[in-house]
Amino acid sequence: MGDPVGPCAERPTKRVVKQRIRNRIIEYLELVASFAAQLTYEAVAPIVHVPYEIINQWEDWTLGSDPWLDESQVYTVEEKEALRRFQVVWDRAAEDLADDYPALRQVQAMPVWDELRREAEFALAVFARRGRLPEDQEAWP
């Protein structure tokens, strides 16, 4: 067999992978920061229970990686602090979310869900200062 050809020929560096994860976290925060986006998601993917998806996606992107502890400079000090703040509210929202698949609008009426939305909005504003990072090459501050 010959050498691989095409976009999969080279493995991305660890930093590029972290930059990609950072970009996915921004996309995640965009969903959490907007009740309208959550309702749109529910409309286009009716088999997905959006509140549980929001809880689970955060774990998918952060479990084992703790971006706020990252030393690679993929995250600024301010971004790490915004993610720490978000994590605190996320913990409460995850704990308060009922196990019986409540309707999205019912969940959105919960004070902790609105607080989660506001923390996501705050974190997005912090991340907007630098925006998304390249997904095909290393970016350095």
Side-chain angles (χ1 to χ4, degrees):
M1 281 176 76
D3 292 332
V5 180
C8 295
E10 293 183 35
R11 294 178 59 100
T13 64
K14 287 181 181 181
R15 182 171 177 89
V16 168
V17 171
K18 287 181 180 192
Q19 289 172 193
R20 291 174 182 175
I21 291 170
R22 181 184 179 278
N23 291 346
R24 299 300 78 78
I25 288 174
I26 291 171
E27 292 167 0
Y28 167 82
L29 291 169
E30 289 170 341
L31 173 64
V32 179
S34 170
F35 282 177
Q38 293 172 25
L39 291 167
T40 299
Y41 186 21
E42 181 180 61
V44 299
I47 63 169
V48 173
H49 187 265
V50 175
Y52 292 155
E53 184 68 12
I54 286 172
I55 295 302
N56 292 331
Q57 275 189 29
W58 180 248
E59 291 177 325
D60 291 346
W61 294 120
T62 63
L63 192 61
S65 66
D66 295 335
W68 44 89
L69 301 176
D70 186 84
E71 297 297 328
S72 69
Q73 298 178 335
V74 170
Y75 303 90
T76 66
V77 171
E78 293 82 9
E79 289 168 351
K80 290 176 187 181
E81 181 56 31
L83 293 177
R84 276 189 207 97
R85 284 179 48 164
F86 181 82
Q87 178 71 49
V88 169
V89 178
W90 179 93
D91 286 337
R92 285 198 308 271
E95 187 174 307
D96 287 357
L97 185 59
D99 291 335
D100 62 353
Y101 291 87
L104 176 58
R105 288 207 184 262
Q106 181 183 348
V107 173
Q108 288 177 337
M110 296 169 54
V112 72
W113 206 257
D114 188 51
E115 187 181 359
L116 186 69
R117 182 197 58 76
R118 285 183 279 121
E119 280 301 326
E121 199 172 55
F122 171 80
L124 269 177
V126 172
F127 275 83
R129 294 178 193 144
R130 284 197 310 158
R132 288 177 171 78
L133 297 180
E135 298 203 11
D136 58 349
Q137 64 185 5
E138 294 183 0
W140 296 92

